[in-house]
Structures are given as structure tokens and as C-alpha cells.
Amino acid sequence: MLDLINVSYDTQIPNNVGLSSDKRVLKALEKWHPGYINWWNDLIPDNFQKSLVYLRTAVSVDPKGWAKFDYVKMPEYRWGVLLAPAVEDRRIPCGEHAGEPAWQEVPGEYRAMLRRLIVIQGDTEPASVEQQRFLALSAPSLYDMRNLFQVNVEEGRHLWAMVYLLHKYFGADGREEADDLLRRSSGSEEAPRMLGAFNEETPDWLSFFMFTYFTDRDGKMQLEALAQSGFDPLSRTCRFMLTEEAHHMFVGETGVGRTIQRTCEAMNEAGIEDPHDVDAIRALGVIDLPTIQKKLNLHYTLSLDLFGQEVSTNAANAFNAGIKGRYMEHRLEDDHKLTDATYPVWDFVEGKLIRHEVPALTAINMRLRDDYTRDAAGGVGRWNKIIEKTGIRFEMKLPHESFNRKIGVFANKLFDPEGKLLTGAEYDAGINHWLPTKADGDFIQSLMKPVYEPGQFAGWIAPPKVGIDNKPGDFEYVKLYMA
Amino acid sequence: MSDTSTVSQDSAAATHAAPGRIDFQTDPSRYRHWRVEHDGPVAQVFMDVDEKGGLFPGYELKLNSYDLGVDIELNDIVQRMRFEHPEVRAVVMRSGKERVFCAGANIRMLGGASHVHKVNFCKFTNETRNAYEAAAEESGQTWIAAVQGSCAGGGYELALACNHIVLTDDSTSSVSLPEIPLLAVLPGTGGLTRVTDKRRVRRDLADVFCTMEEGVKGRRARDWGLVDEVVPNSRFDEAVAERARAIADASSRAAPRKGIALTPLERQFNEDGSVGYSLVEVTLDRAARRATILLKGPEAAPPADMAALEAEGARFYLLRLARELDDAILHLRLNETELGLIVLRSQGDGAAVLAHEALLLQNAEHWLANEILHYWKRVMKRLDVTARSLVAVIEHGSCFAGPLAEILWAADRSYMMEDEFEGDNRPVAAIRLSPGNFGRYPMANGLTRLQTRFLGVPEAVEAAEEQLGTPLEAEAAREMGLITFAHDDIDWEDELRIFLEERASFSPDALTGMEANLRFAGPETMETRIFGRLTAWQNWIFQRPNAVGTEGSLQRYGTGRRGEFDMRRV
């Protein structure tokens, strides 16, 4: 009998989808596999490939214990195909088919739409690994390096998850798209990744933490929405991916938190009270809070752009088709069809920002973005608690969503972080206070010196409160390969 | 055709209010949606549509989608490229926006537009596509589509009308005709026709392609014949530049260095709806649902030679007449939709018209002569596909000679004055034929208007050719079959009045259908298939609830809800 909870290792590809009895898909995946390994090997610097990393590997999809920790070389990581357990008699949760049995096969009429959604989601997974490929060279500790690699291998696994869906359900076209996922590459001139934010570099560790906090959180929201899909295999895939995604948010939130913690401690040790005394604070070898705020402004606003246009035909189509739901669709109490409902979206009318009601069906992106903003605000509050505890007077804030936008109604208009419309001159005068400058970047870069001793941390970041898998502080999370 | 089109709540279902008169005249200083860069024999035409620049309220032209206003500018570019920049041998059409070549006709615009506007919009865009498609053969000016980003629907149709398509191989950019799966309409700007007739895509692959929302990218696009070459993204600009250069170099025609300026038309719109040009007068009789276009003959002798022709430039009689008549036809089509009858008159010296044309025909190899002759051909074709009853009235003092005589056979019928009329001392009405009538101004079916007229009687064409230059008065003209009716002083006024009144009383739809069928006898060409088969089906679909009903795809587009279809096959 097929064991749908525990992972089967009887094929080259760990899975809980019965791959060994699905020869067609197994063959396709095995054909794709070498290309994937090549991609990975070309990507991550060689000495890290050969290092032993203390990673968790999914062994089950049981929520109570789905992973085990052990040392593994990354290329030998068991990337697998894991779907959350099927829910009995699951129904399509939204749209014009709401209440009908969930699809177990791709409905022909939505083939193109589904495939596009899966390809776009799939494209982001390897992209972030590409963006972060050189970070290990400047890791502030083995603990952080291990977290980076954990994020990387899991993004790799998420790519596998999407590729499985393409292979299993989309025939020759799907296989071609799966190949193209390895052909595109972040920042490539030849074949860039599909979304703009995934073609930017992740140049330093603060950027990495901000990215995992803000941009991976967009990923989380998208997965949440896809987990509500009426196409059951997609829903189950995304539900399991979400359990892994939580760790990425954790890396981001604690990474930024530890950076803040260290800055505040250093200020107190040096007796500096004014958080804006930037030069004096930087002289301590820590990142001043205003600069962290600027990084926050940048990454938050870039991530907002990933939600697309506030009012979107594609999003409306996907919801109505029942292939992408809203955040927590199953907990919402409405008709799940949105035939007559409205939702307020931002608009810019005669020089003023207003929110006005539009058909809710067309405002699916806006709604998900609002959910995202609420979700993202949580961590910011916890960062402020850290600052408050140290007695420093400074507050981190999410900028207004109009600030620094490239997509949607605010695109290419000049707003300050409070949402006030500015003239070009006002904007130019303020921009260096709101977004990281090249000098800020250079300063942060100057701190990015690797620390490879177990239990040691770079001077700009505090150690974590607890270790991964409850390991002690001096645990050797990565046994570095020294040639 | 893609995401991101903004829904404005109140406008979704409303028919757009008339925006005032639609003007077909523009110039580069007024472009909002395009820009042109020149580099000797290569020009680059960048489509960079201003979202806020729609012709009507209620939609935004996102993602390089277009409406009539965008196409009016393109038409102007095509015209000026040929007259003002004859040195250009290769024209690269590309996008000024990232990640999108062109998303096609704006769906909100289509959803809100009246049927009349949709049909006229499609007709004009088709004419513009034909004009730059033909530029290679006619003027040695080859249009090349350089496609990066999504190239969907009308966007791919823009590319299809170019004579070479380069697609980037960035694993994302694709070409597509998603009208059927997305909108329940056809790729009606030549899309279906050019895929099979021009690009010779196998019909089953075309079937796959035209029902596939996401389109085809990379090598497969080339293998199927949807594009000519696929180049790596990193050397896209270079490859396009090389291709343009190679095409320019291969052009056998000696390119003149300097063109002529298409100066603004002399034109006045009057309160009563009449329009006055220097050589064309448009008068309206709204009660009779009739417009009359009067064409005037030349005021002076033709220039002595080609240098003098170039010096005259846009003031040269036949060019000025072509531009003015072209503008008048377009104005009537789009702005005067209830005038179902167009009466075509002329006054002037027929011999002088022939003299002007003769200069061009004798110097047909000269670039400007060539351009003017081709332009006249295009204007005549514009008349051929104008969905109004066209009546030529050949009065005393008229000058239906050579190029102007084409109008007689573009018209659905013609009436000619016979013998002298009392109190009328104008020269007796006569038609003059020229060598131009026997090949310079072919119709869309590839035949001359005379060949089409005498489809079963080729001897009649030969007989006409023997009368070159001879003034043919009513009796002769009728004998030769060049006119429909000739009436003398006694019958003239009544016959004409009765006919015009009767014609104005028929159903406009039935007349349009009848005329479009009778006008294009003879062989099919890609062009007749576009204006006939494709357009007729599209216009049928544009009337059907599956597309335009309140529950239809066009109305539902952008709301997230799918169109509801009447599933009966008709």
C-alpha cells in the first residue's frame, strides 16, 4: 500500500507520491535531475559543496515530525517531492466552481492559467538561490551559513515541487517549461528570471535577512493563496512548502533582530544615546538603526511590487476559476465567489491618494497585499521590542505602500515614506534618508567578513538565543571543507 | 490582453461617448505613442504607448496596447517613412517598453466601443498593416519586427505585417494569438490570414497556435514558421542591427538621399459639417444621408521634370489630391457614420489630369513618382473597402481622367450627363483613359478595376486600351461599359434623385454586404481574404452575444468572470 505520510526512498527521488509506480513521471524527473545537479554545482562555490552542513531533511509530511537533522553535503541532499496529505472529499474553495469536488487532474479549460502560475512560482525558487550564491563567503558565523544553506536547499526542493507538477500534469509543454526553469538565471542578460525583484543581487547579509523576511514573505503569501487552489495537487504541494517557508521567515526575522540587538548593545556599551549619530555608531563596527530602516524601506517596497497591479484581470480570472484563492480562504466567511462584493483599493485621483471600492474579484492582488502588510508588520513590532528593551529611542516602521513603487497605481510617482506626494526637488532632498545609498552599501559591505570559527559571530550581529535543533552555542553547524 | 489592465468601475459596460471629431492628421511633434530614430538607411520605430493617451475615456492603454489613436500615429509614420525618408531601406519596429512588445488592441476599448467604431477601427488598422507590409516591394523599404517580451494578439499582428520577424530567445518572450481562448473573438487584423497565407504555417499547427493562450516561444516559434529567426537575448540588439543592415544593403534600389516634407493639409471644417480642402470639397446633406465629395482638377501645368516635381513636393497636384481625398474618406468613415451614400464628383480639365499623371508614369522609376503612384493606388483601395454606397456622377466640366477615372470603377455605379444641358456651358462630360488605368492601380484582388469590371469580357479591356487619351463622351462610355447610366437634360435630375432616395432607404447592413460582395469579383488574394473572409467573420462575431453580450467575453474581460456562451454551433 502506498505510504502517503512517510517518504519513500525507493527511487532516486524521495517522494510521497508513489513515484516508483509512476514510471512516466519518474522517467521525466530522472531526465531532468542531472540538469538540476549541474545547475546546483555550477552555482554554489566548490568548497561549500564539499562541506558537511547540518541540515534538516524532510522525511515525512506528518506535521508532528517531518524532518530529521544530520550532516550532509549539499549536492547529496535528498531533494524530494512531497505533498501534504490529501484532505478527504476536498472541495474547490472559491470562484464559480466553489463547492464542486477539487480537481485531481488539470481541467483543460484552465490548463494555460495553471501552468503559468506554476511556472511563475517555480521561477522564483531557484532565483533566490542564484541571488544568494556568494553569501557564504562572508557568513557572519557557521550558524548563519547553515541557515543560508538550509534556505537554499529548500528553495531547491520547492523548485522540485513545481517541476513535479509540470512533469506530472502538463505533458511535453510542462517538461519544456521545467527545462526553461533551469535555463533562466537571475540577473542574466540571456534569459533573466521572470520577476524583476528576482534579478537583483543579494549583496550582503543584511540584504539576505531583509530578503528572507520581506520577499520570502511574498512567497509565503503566494503559496498560501495557491494552497487554496481547487487543483488539489497544487494545493497539497504548496501546503507542504509552507511548513518549510516558515523557517525562511524565521531566518529573516531573527537575522534582522540580531543585527538590531547588536547595534543597540554596542551603542549602550559606548554610551551613545542618539541613534542618528551615524558616524559614531558605525565606528563601533555595527550597522546604525537608520540604515537598517532604509534597508527595510527598500526590501518592503520591492516586495510589494511582487503583488502586481492592485486591480488585475489575471488575478480575478485565477480566483474565479478556483485555481488560486485568498489568504486563509477556508476561514473567510462570505460566498467565496465575490459576485457582488467590493474591496477598497488605492487610487490616485487628482493628486490625492484615495481608497475606493472596486469589484472584489478584480482586487484579489490588493487584498493579498493587505494581508501581507499585516503579516509583515508583526516582525517589525518585535524588532521594536528589542530596541525598547535596550533603552534606545528609535522605532522601525513600514513605509507607506506608495513609497518607492515601480508597479501599480503608485508606480513612478514621488512619495515619501509617510505617503506624502512630493515634488522632484523634495524627493531628491529626502531620498538619501529613505533608501540605502551606495555609501551605506559600501559600509555594510565593509563589515561582511567571514567568521568560520564555531560559536563565533561577526561583530555586527548578536548570537541567536537558541541553536538550531537545540544545539549548543559552539556547535559546528558547517564542517568546512578545506582544500 | 494580459494582466494589469485596470478596471474602471463605471466604464466597464458603458459605450464610450463620442470624443469629438477623430482627426487622422498628425505629425511627429504630436506623437504620444511612438518615436522614430533614424540612422541613414535604417530607421527604428519604437512603440511606447502612453497609457493615459487613449482616444476615448474609460480605459488605459497598458502594456503597449493600442486604440485608433495609436494606429493613426503609426499610419503617419508609415506615410512619412516613404515620402520624407526615402533613404530608409530597413525599418525596425520594436517596443519602447520592457518585457512587452505589444499586447494588442486594448480590450477595454473594444469592450466599450460601438460596433461601428470597432469595425472601422479594424479596417483602418488593416489598411495600415497592408501599407507597411507592401513598402518592401513597392519602395524597397522593409519592415522588421524585433520582438522582446510578450507579443500577443494585435501585437503579433503588427509583427506579422512586417516582412521579417526576429524573436529573442530569453525563454519567456513569446508570440501568441490568444483572442479565441481569452476573448472569444478572432485575430482580425490579418492574424489568421497571414499565419497561413503569408507565413505558410501548417493549418493544424495554426489551429494549435490560435487556441493557445500562452503562445509559442523560442525555437518552436521558428520551427513552426511563426518567426523568421530566434536570437540569443544577449546579442539581440546586435543581431537586429545586423539584420537591418543586411536587409538595407540587399535593397537593390538606389536610395535617394532626401525626401519631401508632407506639410500640413490645407483643411477647414465648417459648422454645417462640410470640409474644405485645396482640391477636395466635402458637403453633407444629412437629411438625405448623403455626402458629396468634389474633386478638382489641376490649376496649373505639371512640373517640367523630376527636379521640379521634388521641388513642388507635397504641393504637387496628384499628391495633394491623394492626401486630401484620403483624409476625407477617413473622416467620413469614422466621424459621419450615418451618411450611407457618398457621391463622387469632379470638376476640372481632364487633359491636365492626364498630363500630371503622364509625368509620373514616364518617370515611374523615380522614387517620388513611384511613391505617388503607389499612394494613389492605396487611396483607391481605401475607397474600395469603404462601407458606403459609392456613386460617381460625371457631369459636364468634370475631369474623370486616368487616376481619377479609377473612381468610376471603384463606385458601385455611375451616372453620366449626356449631350448639352440647357444653360450649362461647361465642356461636355467626357472620360479619359490613361495607361495608368491598365496596371498602375490594381485592386486588392490583384486585377485592375477594369479587369475586375469586365471579368468575363477581356476584350472589353483591350478595346478600352485602344482609346487612351480620347475624350469619351456619354454614348461611347456607355457603349464601352465604362459607366452605368447616361442621361440627358430631360431625365438627369429625376433619375439621379430617385436613385439616391431609393438607395438611402435600403438597410445599411444589407447594402454593405451586397456592395462588399459585388465589388471584389475575381480571384482571392491574401488581402481580399483579410478584408473579406476574416473581416466578415470577425464582424459577425462582434455582433454575437458570445463576444459582446452583457455576459459575453469582451464585456466580462477584466472582471474575472468568464463569458457565458450559447453553445449552439451556427
Side-chain angles (χ1 to χ4, degrees):
Chain A
M1 195 187 130
L2 199 55
D3 183 348
L4 292 175
I5 294 290
N6 292 307
V7 176
S8 152
Y9 283 93
D10 61 353
T11 62
Q12 197 184 354
I13 303 149
N15 68 90
N16 70 338
V17 292
L19 266 191
S20 59
S21 58
D22 191 346
K23 295 295 177 212
R24 186 183 62 82
V25 175
L26 181 62
K27 205 172 130 205
L29 282 170
E30 284 178 349
K31 215 168 150 201
W32 185 81
H33 185 250
Y36 173 79
I37 292 296
N38 285 345
W39 169 79
W40 185 272
N41 284 336
D42 291 345
L43 200 62
I44 307 286
D46 198 48
N47 57 323
F48 300 118
Q49 304 276 15
K50 292 178 178 153
S51 299
L52 284 165
V53 188
Y54 193 70
L55 294 175
R56 69 174 182 191
T57 304
V59 293
S60 149
V61 291
D62 187 339
K64 290 193 198 87
W66 55 272
K68 74 177 172 66
F69 287 85
D70 205 350
Y71 285 107
V72 60
K73 289 179 190 163
M74 283 187 284
E76 291 161 17
Y77 184 80
R78 304 297 299 264
W79 285 285
V81 177
L82 303 165
L83 272 60
V87 174
E88 205 182 326
D89 192 32
R90 182 164 175 270
R91 300 277 154 165
I92 296 167
C94 60
E96 65 174 272
H97 305 288
E100 296 171 20
W103 296 294
Q104 300 303 327
E105 295 292 337
V106 174
E109 57 191 322
Y110 301 130
R111 178 192 60 93
M113 201 193 290
L114 259 173
R115 201 184 77 176
R116 187 175 60 230
L117 283 176
I118 291 170
V119 167
I120 291 173
Q121 181 66 38
D123 197 60
T124 64
E125 311 289 358
S128 62
V129 183
E130 290 160 359
Q131 291 171 293
Q132 298 157 9
R133 56 187 298 193
F134 295 119
L135 283 180
L137 297 169
S138 61
S141 71
L142 293 179
Y143 167 88
D144 288 292
M145 188 192 288
R146 178 263 163 210
N147 285 348
L148 168 71
F149 290 150
Q150 184 72 57
V151 170
N152 288 167
V153 295
E154 284 174 355
E155 298 295 5
R157 204 200 67 72
H158 293 178
L159 172 61
W160 271 92
M162 292 299 127
V163 166
Y164 166 73
L165 292 176
L166 290 171
H167 280 176
K168 167 94 179 159
Y169 296 101
F170 294 89
D173 287 353
R175 289 196 294 278
E176 198 175 295
E177 290 289 2
D179 291 343
D180 277 350
L181 288 173
L182 292 179
R183 198 157 86 77
R184 284 186 290 273
S185 171
S186 178
S188 155
E189 198 188 340
E190 205 59 73
R193 291 291 171 192
M194 298 172 92
L195 301 175
F198 289 90
N199 286 308
E200 305 287 333
E201 253 188 284
T202 306
D204 58 66
W205 277 79
L206 184 55
S207 301
F208 170 64
F209 294 140
M210 290 292 181
F211 184 95
T212 43
Y213 186 78
F214 286 110
T215 306
D216 278 346
R217 190 174 305 274
D218 157 70
K220 170 189 159 181
M221 300 309 286
Q222 299 300 337
L223 289 176
E224 289 276 8
L226 291 173
Q228 302 291 339
S229 178
F231 178 51
D232 206 41
L234 177 61
S235 163
R236 291 174 56 200
T237 304
C238 291
R239 265 152 50 210
F240 186 72
M241 288 163 74
L242 279 166
T243 61
E244 292 163 310
E245 204 72 25
H247 175 257
H248 308 182
M249 320 275 104
F250 161 84
V251 169
E253 182 176 333
T254 56
V256 175
R258 287 159 55 214
T259 308
I260 290 173
Q261 171 92 35
R262 181 66 203 121
T263 301
C264 294
E265 286 169 3
M267 285 169 65
N268 284 341
E269 286 158 19
I272 301 172
E273 282 182 12
D274 179 6
H276 296 284
D277 194 354
V278 169
D279 291 344
I281 296 168
R282 287 187 177 184
L284 305 173
V286 295
I287 305 168
D288 52 285
L289 299 180
T291 296
I292 297 175
Q293 174 69 55
K294 285 196 247 179
K295 294 289 279 186
L296 180 162
N297 290 347
L298 176 68
H299 285 269
Y300 173 66
T301 53
L302 283 177
S303 303
L304 289 180
D305 276 347
L306 291 171
F307 288 86
Q309 302 279 341
E310 287 84 357
V311 171
S312 159
T313 300
N314 277 356
N317 288 345
F319 179 87
N320 192 55
I323 66 174
K324 189 174 176 184
R326 290 168 293 175
Y327 183 54
M328 300 287 169
E329 183 76 41
H330 55 297
R331 292 200 198 148
L332 298 173
E333 289 187 5
D334 57 19
D335 68 354
H336 300 283
K337 294 187 176 187
L338 302 179
T339 27
D340 300 313
T342 62
Y343 190 84
V345 302
W346 283 111
D347 202 353
F348 189 76
V349 178
E350 288 163 7
K352 285 209 181 91
L353 278 181
I354 53 156
R355 277 188 97 134
H356 66 99
E357 298 286 329
V358 303
L361 204 45
T362 66
I364 293 290
N365 282 348
M366 181 78 213
R367 182 184 177 113
L368 194 62
R369 202 174 88 197
D370 285 343
D371 288 326
Y372 167 84
T373 294
R374 274 190 287 278
D375 201 55
V380 179
R382 288 185 287 277
W383 295 336
N384 284 329
K385 285 266 170 10
I386 295 172
I387 302 174
E388 205 180 306
K389 268 193 196 154
T390 63
I392 306 283
R393 297 164 69 90
F394 191 88
E395 194 185 347
M396 295 283 168
K397 260 195 220 151
L398 291 180
H400 191 270
E401 58 201 303
S402 59
F403 175 66
N404 189 39
R405 298 297 304 284
K406 301 285 181 287
I407 291 179
V409 64
F410 307 117
N412 305 318
K413 295 194 176 69
L414 304 178
F415 291 93
D416 72 8
E418 307 294 322
K420 185 170 155 250
L421 191 66
L422 303 179
T423 65
E426 289 168 326
Y427 189 81
D428 289 345
I431 191 64
N432 287 346
H433 302 288
W434 303 326
L435 287 177
T437 61
K438 180 160 187 312
D440 296 331
D442 290 347
F443 168 70
I444 295 172
Q445 205 53 253
S446 75
L447 299 180
M448 296 296 128
K449 302 278 188 284
V451 175
Y452 290 164
E453 294 298 313
Q456 298 299 303
F457 286 82
W460 57 271
I461 188 165
K465 287 205 180 68
V466 276
I468 293 294
D469 196 24
N470 288 317
K471 293 296 174 197
D474 60 353
F475 184 73
E476 191 174 9
Y477 287 100
V478 181
K479 294 187 179 176
L480 280 174
Y481 174 82
M482 299 297 173
Chain B
M1 205 125 307
S2 67
D3 192 64
T4 60
S5 61
T6 299
V7 181
S8 156
Q9 242 188 323
D10 46 2
S11 69
T15 294
H16 304 306
R21 181 170 52 79
I22 296 171
D23 193 348
F24 289 84
Q25 295 302 312
T26 184
D27 66 71
S29 71
R30 288 188 282 163
Y31 292 168
R32 296 187 68 172
H33 309 296
W34 299 85
R35 88 179 175 271
V36 185
E37 288 175 8
H38 287 277
D39 180 11
V42 176
Q44 300 208 74
V45 172
F46 291 87
M47 184 180 202
D48 192 358
V49 176
D50 176 358
E51 288 186 2
K52 308 276 183 212
L55 204 53
F56 300 87
Y59 57 85
E60 290 184 356
L61 297 172
K62 302 217 169 188
L63 295 169
N64 261 4
S65 59
Y66 61 83
D67 68 355
L68 181 60
V70 177
D71 234 75
I72 287 173
E73 290 182 8
L74 176 59
N75 177 56
D76 190 68
I77 290 170
V78 175
Q79 256 328 68
R80 288 182 198 278
M81 199 64 82
R82 294 177 74 160
F83 280 98
E84 300 191 342
H85 297 281
E87 77 282 5
V88 171
R89 310 280 80 187
V91 185
V92 178
M93 179 189 282
R94 58 197 310 172
S95 169
K97 291 189 162 42
E98 275 186 40
R99 303 181 92 90
V100 60
F101 177 79
C102 167
N106 187 279
I107 308 306
R108 307 239 127 231
M109 177 279 292
L110 283 179
S114 68
H115 182 67
V116 176
H117 182 82
K118 276 203 284 289
V119 170
N120 275 302
F121 163 72
C122 290
K123 187 174 288 173
F124 181 75
T125 54
N126 267 318
E127 290 169 325
T128 307
R129 306 297 169 276
N130 290 347
Y132 66 79
E133 180 171 53
E137 200 191 320
E138 295 174 357
S139 313
Q141 220 167 51
T142 303
W143 285 61
I144 301 161
V147 180
Q148 270 176 316
S150 111
C151 175
Y156 180 51
E157 291 177 316
L158 274 172
L160 276 172
C162 294
N163 287 321
H164 190 88
I165 307 178
V166 186
L167 174 67
T168 184
D169 191 17
D170 65 358
S171 91
T172 309
S173 298
S174 65
V175 295
S176 63
L177 291 177
E179 282 86 347
I180 289 157
L182 271 186
L183 304 165
V185 300
L186 303 180
T189 315
L192 289 181
T193 319
R194 286 196 175 88
V195 164
T196 51
D197 293 32
K198 179 181 185 182
R199 303 209 57 97
R200 309 292 166 104
V201 176
R202 229 172 59 202
R203 59 163 281 201
D204 54 343
L205 296 178
D207 179 285
V208 174
F209 177 63
C210 297
T211 51
M212 175 188 236
E213 190 182 322
E214 66 273 30
V216 174
K217 58 191 179 182
R219 191 171 299 163
R220 183 185 290 169
R222 192 194 55 204
D223 293 346
W224 285 17
L226 298 166
V227 304
D228 294 287
E229 57 182 319
V230 170
V231 301
N233 199 44
S234 58
R235 51 179 308 277
F236 184 77
D237 288 346
E238 199 185 328
V240 168
E242 278 168 16
R243 177 61 60 192
R245 189 62 62 174
I247 285 175
D249 289 348
S251 176
S252 56
R253 222 158 307 186
R257 259 170 300 172
K258 214 167 142 282
I260 59 157
L262 292 180
T263 49
L265 294 186
E266 214 177 284
R267 186 180 63 161
Q268 188 179 339
F269 292 93
N270 303 311
E271 292 256 315
D272 62 358
S274 64
V275 193
Y277 301 83
S278 72
L279 295 169
V280 175
E281 272 176 26
V282 180
T283 49
L284 312 184
D285 181 343
R286 291 191 196 279
R289 299 201 290 106
R290 182 168 77 223
T292 300
I293 300 179
L294 170 65
L295 307 175
K296 297 177 196 163
E299 306 104 329
D305 55 21
M306 288 297 102
L309 174 73
E310 286 192 55
E312 267 195 29
R315 283 176 295 129
F316 175 69
Y317 170 72
L318 276 173
L319 177 54
R320 191 150 44 103
L321 185 72
R323 291 180 72 205
E324 293 178 357
L325 177 57
D326 202 16
D327 188 68
I329 297 168
L330 291 170
H331 166 68
L332 290 175
R333 272 198 202 166
L334 268 295
N335 297 317
E336 295 290 353
T337 54
E338 290 191 13
L339 306 177
L341 269 159
I342 296 179
V343 176
L344 294 144
R345 298 176 54 222
S346 69
Q347 285 290 300
D349 178 355
V353 172
L354 289 194
H356 279 79
E357 190 203 27
L359 177 75
L360 302 181
L361 294 175
Q362 283 153 19
N363 295 282
E365 292 301 305
H366 184 270
W367 78 270
L368 182 54
N370 176 60
E371 283 308 337
I372 297 170
L373 289 167
H374 279 301
Y375 185 30
W376 188 260
K377 175 185 70 182
R378 291 199 295 280
V379 176
M380 290 300 102
K381 286 187 181 185
R382 180 116 57 207
L383 201 53
D384 287 333
V385 295
T386 295
R388 309 292 167 92
S389 295
L390 303 175
V391 193
V393 176
I394 310 148
E395 297 155 298
H396 295 327
S398 63
C399 55
F400 286 111
L404 272 67
E406 292 291 319
I407 290 170
L408 305 179
W409 314 310
D412 298 297
R413 54 169 97 173
S414 54
Y415 288 80
M416 188 165 182
M417 286 184 173
E418 186 163 27
D419 302 334
E420 295 198 346
F421 280 36
E422 201 183 321
D424 187 342
N425 59 3
R426 295 176 297 180
V428 169
I431 296 166
R432 289 175 174 81
L433 304 181
S434 78
N437 299 125
F438 298 88
R440 276 313 308 206
Y441 317 110
M443 298 174 61
N445 61 9
L447 305 181
T448 65
R449 281 180 190 74
L450 285 173
Q451 285 169 329
T452 308
R453 186 175 183 85
F454 299 119
L455 203 57
V457 224
E459 317 80 85
V461 181
E462 286 162 27
E465 203 163 2
E466 283 164 21
Q467 300 295 330
L468 291 183
T470 318
L472 302 165
E473 294 188 6
E475 193 182 344
R478 185 175 47 204
E479 288 290 306
M480 293 169 68
L482 299 176
I483 57 164
T484 317
F485 295 115
H487 296 295
D488 60 15
D489 200 2
I490 302 168
D491 292 334
W492 175 259
E493 222 166 277
D494 256 5
E495 289 286 344
L496 206 54
R497 178 185 61 77
I498 289 168
F499 161 67
L500 292 173
E501 285 178 4
E502 179 196 61
R503 192 74 168 194
S505 73
F506 290 149
S507 153
D509 299 339
L511 284 177
T512 295
M514 178 192 80
E515 289 155 3
N517 275 283
L518 299 182
R519 284 178 194 174
F520 299 94
E524 286 273 32
T525 63
M526 186 170 82
E527 210 172 313
T528 61
R529 272 168 44 72
I530 289 171
F531 283 115
R533 191 182 294 265
L534 178 59
T535 301
W537 281 111
Q538 177 79 312
N539 292 349
W540 177 71
I541 291 169
F542 274 164
Q543 286 289 48
R544 296 274 299 160
N546 288 343
V548 297
T550 49
E551 318 294 315
S553 279
L554 278 182
Q555 292 300 340
R556 284 270 177 97
Y557 183 79
T559 65
R561 298 167 66 208
R562 293 185 299 171
E564 279 170 28
F565 301 145
D566 174 349
M567 284 300 181
R568 282 175 303 179
R569 281 284 190 127
V570 178

